[in-house]
Amino acid sequence: MLDKNALFALSLFPYLGFLWFITRSGQAPRLALIGFYALLVFVAVTIPAGIYARVTYGVELADVDWLHGSAEAFLTFSNILVVLGFRQAVVEARKANP
C-alpha cells in the first residue's frame, strides 16, 4: 500500500491537469485562478519543511507546530484567494443579471 508521502506526490499530477484545463477554459475568475496556482506555493513550501522537520527534529512535519503552522499559512492564503475570486464573480454576475 502507498504511504501518505507517495500519495501526496502522486496527487500533484491530477492537480496539474486540473490547472491546465481550468486555465485553458478561460472561464475561471482571475483571482480564483491565482488562488489555485498559489496552492502550488503551499506544496513547494511543505516539501522542504517536511524534510527539515525529519532531518532536524526526527519527526513528521505535523509534529513541529511552528513549522507546520507556517506551511499551512500558504494553504490558508490560497483558499482565501479562491473564495474571494468566486465571490467577486458571483457579485458581478448578480449585477449583470438582476
Side-chain angles (χ1 to χ4, degrees), residues 60-91:
E60 297 284 325
L61 175 61
D63 296 328
V64 183
D65 288 341
W66 72 270
L67 193 56
H68 185 245
S70 300
E72 290 290 325
F74 288 99
L75 178 61
T76 302
F77 177 68
S78 70
N79 288 339
I80 289 170
L81 291 177
V82 170
V83 169
L84 290 177
F86 281 111
R87 181 189 178 282
Q88 181 182 16
V90 168
V91 168

Side-chain angles (χ1 to χ4, degrees), residues 90-98:
V90 168
V91 168
E92 289 174 4
R94 285 184 180 165
K95 285 181 183 177
N97 300 318

Side-chain angles (χ1 to χ4, degrees), residues 4 8 10 48:
K4 63 183 177 189
F8 181 72
L10 288 174

Side-chain angles (χ1 to χ4, degrees), residues 4-15:
K4 63 183 177 189
N5 295 326
L7 288 174
F8 181 72
L10 288 174
S11 71
L12 285 175
F13 295 107
Y15 190 73

Side-chain angles (χ1 to χ4, degrees), residues 17-83:
F18 162 75
L19 286 177
W20 185 79
F21 281 111
I22 198 166
T23 302
R24 190 163 183 220
S25 76
Q27 296 181 355
R30 180 168 166 71
L31 189 58
L33 194 58
I34 291 169
F36 287 131
Y37 277 95
L39 184 62
L40 292 177
V41 175
F42 163 72
V43 173
V45 168
T46 301
I47 293 170
I51 293 169
Y52 180 79
R54 175 66 66 191
V55 170
T56 304
Y57 300 106
V59 296
E60 297 284 325
L61 175 61
D63 296 328
V64 183
D65 288 341
W66 72 270
L67 193 56
H68 185 245
S70 300
E72 290 290 325
F74 288 99
L75 178 61
T76 302
F77 177 68
S78 70
N79 288 339
I80 289 170
L81 291 177
V82 170
V83 169

